Amino acid sequence: MFEAYWNSSLDWNPSPIVALATSVDQSQVAAAREDGSVEIWLVSPGSVGWHCQLTIHGNPNSRVSSLVWCHSGSRNPPSARLFSSSIDGSVSEWDLFDLKQKVVLGSIGVSIWQMAAAPYNEACFIKHELQHVGNGYLNDKSNDAEDEASETSENEDDDSVELHEVSVVENPHLAMGCDDGCVRVYIITNSDELTYNKSLPRVSRVLSVTWSPDATMIYSGTSDGHESETSYNFCLSIYRLSQALRFIRCWDAKLAHEIYRITVGLGGLGSGLELCIWSLLALRCGTLVSGDSNGSVQFWDSQHGTLLQAHSLHKGDVNALAASPSHNRVFSAGSDGQVILYKLSRSDDNSSKGIKKWVYVSYVRVHTHDIRALTVAVPISQEDRLADERDERIHCKEKSSDKKAKRMRRKEKPISFSYHKWAHLGVPMLLSAGDDTKLFAYSVQEFTKFKPHDVCPAPQRVAMQLVHDAGVNEMPLLLAQASYWLDILCVHTKSGSVTNMGSSSHGALATTDLLVRVKSKASRKIICSTISASGSLFAYSDHAKPSLFELKRAHGRSGWTVTKRQLPKKLPFAHSMVFSCDSSRLMIAAYDRRIYVVDVGSSELVHTFTPCCEEHDEEMPPSEPPITRMYTSSDGQWLAAINCFGDVHIFNLEIQRQHWFISRMDGASVTAGGFPPQNNNVLIIATSSNRVYAFDVEAKKLGDWSIKHTLVLPRRYQEFPGEVIGLSFPVSSSSSTVIIYSARAMCLIDFGLPVDQEDESDLINSQDSVIIKKLQNSPINGCLKRKLKESSLDTKLSDRKNFEFCAFRDPVLFVGHLSKNSLLIIDKPWADVVRTFSAPVHRHIFGT
């Protein structure tokens, strides 16, 4: 019988998301967190989960105020660059290749509240593209799939292929709204610094800024209004009214003079004197949208500056606006946690176009706290057709040949699986994020029909490593990495058989005792950490340098001591670290894209690897992306180093040479990997496309199991809920199993067993396969989905099949083997995490 031990006592404090931006090709979303880090998420269609492709740890003392992802127009073809503004008045570029933050504009002395990139004309590079704007950010992208069904006779939801010409900006321009009342415009060049272009006349604090679709005008949201007070003896009521009025200004982008101003502030909550215009949005239809601190979303005629409609549906500040690619739908979000949809309609009259009217449609609330940012993205990555679509198409063919054929009645799928019904290639999706640290995806076209998809069920999970048989105390040790310290904990278990693994309440409990806590020097943020197989050595790296420590039991056996060990001087800081199996060597994957091998005993650098694609390139300067994951074999011969984009480098530690280079599989990133104890020549990796590969390292080839099964994995694994975050191998050298887990579920794979015969009708072929088999309604799969909804799964491993699943009720942070037949599972109820957040600003709690 299988035993699982659960623990929920570890602290988990994810950081709020303060800004979002979509990449130029709309396939990636950048999310900036309050702790200074930026995550790059790969937009996912279908049922395969989203993937956090990169995490860049920036300056935690410099809070990001906005993100902009834009072209670098002087390059041919143009490339995308990611910039962020900060409250301290600086602008940074986020290098996605070297994984570092580069300051391209030093502090200007005042806060930068928002940045906006001028629209870029891609007509000469990519044809048939549309523009979309989101949260002060504008880019172009075609969209054939959105609004497939026309809802009006005028086909106002049509997103057909259309080309919109805009001004050519050879070197893209950035407009920055500053706290001193200026809108500053800078030019993006190929240099490491922004080039100053101009400043618009100073007015008062500029909180929001955006460009017109043709890049000829700049709109700024200010908080002045004191201009209406002409004398000290002015009537007090008039003075208070003036303090409640703020302006939206329209500027000529070329001549830098004011064209007109719009008075804002009438309506809404109207409870405060300090009204703030937090967000602006300029649409191709000639409408300008504003969101303010009164909870009002107002639609203006951008040509004349007149009010079209005003909606005061938010119960707090409106922090973000976004529009669909067709610009006929607008979304607003704010401190009340709501995302509200407005739709463009035209009144019936004798004119050919009618009168534009923006009407309220509905709202969705899934966030528990303030929403800070919105953006729109479009999946463009390749995906296999979904099983339900194949079933429907095959059924239609059968029906055409035999009209009397009846379609098999199926049980309705739970709403938690509705994401794959609308998230397809080319179909736009809205994303929201905020103080609850979560990222949610919505259908733009069917906003209220489907439940939002939780993109990251375990944001910024705690990095952990388990030593199942530590020599220092003959008990399992757990290394837990927090932002500014490391905890070494001793794990205690109490024997108990587990037959139901869907909830920690049905399993035995594990307790942890804190042995030592090591804080980083000068409160620098920890990037990575590792612990040796014996548990006596551990190391971490911050942004300054790596550090090595030794753990010993104190004299008298009443406590523990930590001694700092020396490392070679001038070692760069690391993205990843790992010990050899015998703890004699420490491998450091540094930010300079080299791997340093340090002898722990002598504290000397014994070798430096330079990852490369070809063997003869090893002596060349580093040219490959940084290494972010490393795994060693238990015999100490092999080191697998995986870069941030999914390429695998295999090094032979005995002869100190690169042995093999494995290009990324199916263009997917590697999410987890390792060498099983029973075969040191086999490397197992899991990818973001929900595939598992077994490589024969010594023979430099794909393993026999993968050749036979990788492209025909069971459908239930292809629809694995959540992103795979880890692997765990049994301690026994005779076992051929591995547990692959995400925050939502885990799957037991036995490489000694073939894919079950009854699963042959439940296979998903590779994307290149022409033959598509009809999928049957497998009882196993149906049971899985039903149990996932109920958050419990009866798992009987004594009579198991291959690819056995177990769903989790609460987000799981770590799964590791304690022995051949026992697991340690670290989870945390999300409600407990939410209690650690600051209270929502404008959410009323009943009974208070």
PDB file of all heavy atoms in Angstrom, residues 211-226:
ATOM      1  N   TRP A 211      -1.029  56.801 -26.929  1.00  0.00           N
ATOM      2  CA  TRP A 211      -0.908  57.377 -28.267  1.00  0.00           C
ATOM      3  C   TRP A 211      -2.196  57.137 -29.044  1.00  0.00           C
ATOM      4  O   TRP A 211      -2.922  56.173 -28.801  1.00  0.00           O
ATOM      5  CB  TRP A 211       0.232  56.738 -29.034  1.00  0.00           C
ATOM      6  CG  TRP A 211       1.611  57.010 -28.498  1.00  0.00           C
ATOM      7  CD1 TRP A 211       2.172  56.435 -27.393  1.00  0.00           C
ATOM      8  CD2 TRP A 211       2.594  57.895 -29.034  1.00  0.00           C
ATOM      9  NE1 TRP A 211       3.446  56.912 -27.207  1.00  0.00           N
ATOM     10  CE2 TRP A 211       3.733  57.806 -28.200  1.00  0.00           C
ATOM     11  CE3 TRP A 211       2.629  58.752 -30.136  1.00  0.00           C
ATOM     12  CZ2 TRP A 211       4.896  58.538 -28.434  1.00  0.00           C
ATOM     13  CZ3 TRP A 211       3.784  59.480 -30.378  1.00  0.00           C
ATOM     14  CH2 TRP A 211       4.901  59.384 -29.533  1.00  0.00           C
ATOM     15  N   SER A 212      -2.458  58.017 -30.014  1.00  0.00           N
ATOM     16  CA  SER A 212      -3.543  57.754 -30.959  1.00  0.00           C
ATOM     17  C   SER A 212      -3.100  56.623 -31.884  1.00  0.00           C
ATOM     18  O   SER A 212      -1.899  56.385 -32.066  1.00  0.00           O
ATOM     19  CB  SER A 212      -3.865  59.011 -31.768  1.00  0.00           C
ATOM     20  OG  SER A 212      -2.751  59.395 -32.555  1.00  0.00           O
ATOM     21  N   PRO A 213      -4.033  55.897 -32.490  1.00  0.00           N
ATOM     22  CA  PRO A 213      -3.653  54.778 -33.358  1.00  0.00           C
ATOM     23  C   PRO A 213      -2.748  55.163 -34.517  1.00  0.00           C
ATOM     24  O   PRO A 213      -1.978  54.336 -34.990  1.00  0.00           O
ATOM     25  CB  PRO A 213      -5.009  54.243 -33.846  1.00  0.00           C
ATOM     26  CG  PRO A 213      -5.971  54.624 -32.777  1.00  0.00           C
ATOM     27  CD  PRO A 213      -5.494  55.952 -32.276  1.00  0.00           C
ATOM     28  N   ASP A 214      -2.817  56.417 -34.987  1.00  0.00           N
ATOM     29  CA  ASP A 214      -1.961  56.838 -36.090  1.00  0.00           C
ATOM     30  C   ASP A 214      -0.685  57.523 -35.607  1.00  0.00           C
ATOM     31  O   ASP A 214       0.091  58.055 -36.416  1.00  0.00           O
ATOM     32  CB  ASP A 214      -2.724  57.763 -37.044  1.00  0.00           C
ATOM     33  CG  ASP A 214      -3.238  59.020 -36.342  1.00  0.00           C
ATOM     34  OD1 ASP A 214      -2.953  59.190 -35.135  1.00  0.00           O
ATOM     35  OD2 ASP A 214      -3.914  59.823 -37.006  1.00  0.00           O
ATOM     36  N   ALA A 215      -0.446  57.516 -34.310  1.00  0.00           N
ATOM     37  CA  ALA A 215       0.773  58.049 -33.700  1.00  0.00           C
ATOM     38  C   ALA A 215       0.964  59.544 -33.918  1.00  0.00           C
ATOM     39  O   ALA A 215       2.069  60.050 -33.753  1.00  0.00           O
ATOM     40  CB  ALA A 215       2.011  57.298 -34.215  1.00  0.00           C
ATOM     41  N   THR A 216      -0.080  60.266 -34.242  1.00  0.00           N
ATOM     42  CA  THR A 216       0.041  61.713 -34.441  1.00  0.00           C
ATOM     43  C   THR A 216      -0.313  62.505 -33.196  1.00  0.00           C
ATOM     44  O   THR A 216       0.024  63.683 -33.107  1.00  0.00           O
ATOM     45  CB  THR A 216      -0.865  62.172 -35.590  1.00  0.00           C
ATOM     46  OG1 THR A 216      -2.232  61.857 -35.275  1.00  0.00           O
ATOM     47  CG2 THR A 216      -0.467  61.480 -36.899  1.00  0.00           C
ATOM     48  N   MET A 217      -0.994  61.887 -32.241  1.00  0.00           N
ATOM     49  CA  MET A 217      -1.412  62.586 -31.033  1.00  0.00           C
ATOM     50  C   MET A 217      -1.059  61.760 -29.795  1.00  0.00           C
ATOM     51  O   MET A 217      -0.985  60.528 -29.854  1.00  0.00           O
ATOM     52  CB  MET A 217      -2.919  62.871 -31.058  1.00  0.00           C
ATOM     53  CG  MET A 217      -3.338  63.888 -32.109  1.00  0.00           C
ATOM     54  SD  MET A 217      -5.122  64.192 -32.116  1.00  0.00           S
ATOM     55  CE  MET A 217      -5.726  62.650 -32.794  1.00  0.00           C
ATOM     56  N   ILE A 218      -0.863  62.469 -28.713  1.00  0.00           N
ATOM     57  CA  ILE A 218      -0.622  61.857 -27.410  1.00  0.00           C
ATOM     58  C   ILE A 218      -1.699  62.350 -26.452  1.00  0.00           C
ATOM     59  O   ILE A 218      -1.995  63.546 -26.398  1.00  0.00           O
ATOM     60  CB  ILE A 218       0.770  62.220 -26.868  1.00  0.00           C
ATOM     61  CG1 ILE A 218       1.867  61.670 -27.786  1.00  0.00           C
ATOM     62  CG2 ILE A 218       0.967  61.678 -25.459  1.00  0.00           C
ATOM     63  CD1 ILE A 218       3.272  62.084 -27.367  1.00  0.00           C
ATOM     64  N   TYR A 219      -2.296  61.434 -25.720  1.00  0.00           N
ATOM     65  CA  TYR A 219      -3.298  61.780 -24.722  1.00  0.00           C
ATOM     66  C   TYR A 219      -2.702  61.565 -23.336  1.00  0.00           C
ATOM     67  O   TYR A 219      -2.043  60.548 -23.077  1.00  0.00           O
ATOM     68  CB  TYR A 219      -4.558  60.923 -24.874  1.00  0.00           C
ATOM     69  CG  TYR A 219      -5.202  61.015 -26.242  1.00  0.00           C
ATOM     70  CD1 TYR A 219      -4.967  60.031 -27.210  1.00  0.00           C
ATOM     71  CD2 TYR A 219      -6.043  62.069 -26.566  1.00  0.00           C
ATOM     72  CE1 TYR A 219      -5.553  60.103 -28.460  1.00  0.00           C
ATOM     73  CE2 TYR A 219      -6.636  62.149 -27.815  1.00  0.00           C
ATOM     74  CZ  TYR A 219      -6.375  61.159 -28.761  1.00  0.00           C
ATOM     75  OH  TYR A 219      -6.959  61.250 -30.003  1.00  0.00           O
ATOM     76  N   SER A 220      -2.924  62.513 -22.447  1.00  0.00           N
ATOM     77  CA  SER A 220      -2.419  62.394 -21.084  1.00  0.00           C
ATOM     78  C   SER A 220      -3.536  62.681 -20.091  1.00  0.00           C
ATOM     79  O   SER A 220      -4.361  63.567 -20.301  1.00  0.00           O
ATOM     80  CB  SER A 220      -1.259  63.359 -20.851  1.00  0.00           C
ATOM     81  OG  SER A 220      -1.679  64.703 -20.946  1.00  0.00           O
ATOM     82  N   GLY A 221      -3.554  61.900 -19.039  1.00  0.00           N
ATOM     83  CA  GLY A 221      -4.504  62.109 -17.951  1.00  0.00           C
ATOM     84  C   GLY A 221      -3.806  62.775 -16.795  1.00  0.00           C
ATOM     85  O   GLY A 221      -2.869  62.207 -16.218  1.00  0.00           O
ATOM     86  N   THR A 222      -4.229  63.981 -16.442  1.00  0.00           N
ATOM     87  CA  THR A 222      -3.550  64.768 -15.423  1.00  0.00           C
ATOM     88  C   THR A 222      -4.424  64.948 -14.198  1.00  0.00           C
ATOM     89  O   THR A 222      -5.617  64.623 -14.198  1.00  0.00           O
ATOM     90  CB  THR A 222      -3.165  66.157 -15.969  1.00  0.00           C
ATOM     91  OG1 THR A 222      -4.359  66.868 -16.315  1.00  0.00           O
ATOM     92  CG2 THR A 222      -2.293  66.030 -17.207  1.00  0.00           C
ATOM     93  N   SER A 223      -3.831  65.466 -13.157  1.00  0.00           N
ATOM     94  CA  SER A 223      -4.574  65.749 -11.924  1.00  0.00           C
ATOM     95  C   SER A 223      -4.325  67.189 -11.508  1.00  0.00           C
ATOM     96  O   SER A 223      -3.925  67.470 -10.396  1.00  0.00           O
ATOM     97  CB  SER A 223      -4.134  64.794 -10.806  1.00  0.00           C
ATOM     98  OG  SER A 223      -2.749  64.922 -10.560  1.00  0.00           O
ATOM     99  N   ASP A 224      -4.541  68.116 -12.488  1.00  0.00           N
ATOM    100  CA  ASP A 224      -4.422  69.538 -12.141  1.00  0.00           C
ATOM    101  C   ASP A 224      -5.799  70.061 -11.757  1.00  0.00           C
ATOM    102  O   ASP A 224      -6.377  69.649 -10.862  1.00  0.00           O
ATOM    103  CB  ASP A 224      -3.784  70.353 -13.263  1.00  0.00           C
ATOM    104  CG  ASP A 224      -4.256  69.947 -14.638  1.00  0.00           C
ATOM    105  OD1 ASP A 224      -4.665  68.794 -14.802  1.00  0.00           O
ATOM    106  OD2 ASP A 224      -4.203  70.777 -15.539  1.00  0.00           O
ATOM    107  N   GLY A 225      -6.417  70.950 -12.359  1.00  0.00           N
ATOM    108  CA  GLY A 225      -7.717  71.448 -11.920  1.00  0.00           C
ATOM    109  C   GLY A 225      -7.612  72.691 -11.069  1.00  0.00           C
ATOM    110  O   GLY A 225      -8.569  73.419 -10.930  1.00  0.00           O
ATOM    111  N   HIS A 226      -6.420  72.943 -10.472  1.00  0.00           N
ATOM    112  CA  HIS A 226      -6.248  74.169  -9.709  1.00  0.00           C
ATOM    113  C   HIS A 226      -6.217  75.385 -10.616  1.00  0.00           C
ATOM    114  O   HIS A 226      -6.283  76.511 -10.147  1.00  0.00           O
ATOM    115  CB  HIS A 226      -4.956  74.093  -8.894  1.00  0.00           C
ATOM    116  CG  HIS A 226      -3.740  73.874  -9.741  1.00  0.00           C
ATOM    117  ND1 HIS A 226      -3.290  72.624 -10.073  1.00  0.00           N
ATOM    118  CD2 HIS A 226      -2.912  74.771 -10.339  1.00  0.00           C
ATOM    119  CE1 HIS A 226      -2.208  72.735 -10.827  1.00  0.00           C
ATOM    120  NE2 HIS A 226      -1.964  74.027 -11.000  1.00  0.00           N
TER     121      HIS A 226
END
